[in-house]
Amino acid sequence: MSGREIAQLVQSWQAMSKDTMNLVQMQEPTLQPEQQSKLKQLVNEENVRKQEESVQKHHQTFLASIRMAVTVFGERFRAFVTERDTVTATVVGLTLLAGGVYSAKNGTAAVARFIEAGLFKPLAAQSIVPHHA
């Protein structure tokens, strides 16, 4: 293969199909070392280009899915916020939940202190303390 033929390969590289690439690679043993080197460089460049295209498509798809998720979330949030009854019910529910957690925490602490005071009182102190009947 002459230098001119390699130049033609370079010009038509973008349009090559896999079959054409395979055919060119099969002719590689008949090429001069510098032509083989140039062919390998072209194959590597094409592989890099395809990988870059694949990555770019993946990024575009990923960004599109993020945009869609944000849009859907934004629409749902806007619909939620504009419904006064839903917002009121949510606020009341969260307030009751917080009150329940607070009451449970303090109630458990009070019961624990009461039990601790009765169980861990020294026996001598129990017998000395007069019982009022």
Side-chain angles (χ1 to χ4, degrees):
M1 210 178 240
S2 68
R4 182 176 179 180
E5 290 172 321
I6 290 180
Q8 289 173 343
L9 281 175
V10 172
Q11 291 173 355
S12 65
W13 188 259
Q14 296 291 333
M16 279 192 186
S17 67
K18 284 185 177 182
D19 294 334
T20 308
M21 291 245 322
N22 291 337
L23 179 63
V24 169
Q25 287 175 342
M26 286 184 343
Q27 294 177 354
E28 184 177 354
T30 64
L31 299 175
Q32 298 295 322
E34 64 185 36
Q35 293 171 330
Q36 289 178 358
S37 174
K38 183 67 174 176
L39 182 59
K40 286 179 184 177
Q41 179 185 354
L42 292 173
V43 169
N44 288 338
E45 288 172 1
E46 180 65 13
N47 288 338
V48 167
R49 186 188 65 77
K50 286 180 182 179
Q51 287 176 348
E52 288 172 349
E53 281 181 4
S54 175
V55 168
Q56 187 177 14
K57 286 179 185 178
H58 175 72
H59 283 283
Q60 288 172 347
T61 304
F62 183 72
L63 290 174
S65 65
I66 289 175
R67 284 187 202 109
M68 177 66 78
V70 168
T71 301
V72 169
F73 178 77
E75 289 172 0
R76 300 285 184 198
F77 184 74
R78 189 177 305 115
F80 170 78
V81 171
T82 56
E83 293 181 21
R84 186 176 181 94
D85 293 339
T86 306
V87 173
T88 303
T90 302
V91 169
V92 169
L94 290 174
T95 303
L96 291 174
L97 177 66
V101 169
Y102 178 78
S103 298
K105 177 185 169 195
N106 288 329
T108 303
V111 170
R113 283 192 303 272
F114 176 75
I115 292 172
E116 186 178 278
L119 289 180
F120 297 113
K121 187 185 280 187
L123 292 176
Q126 288 178 0
S127 60
I128 295 174
V129 176
H131 294 286
H132 298 306

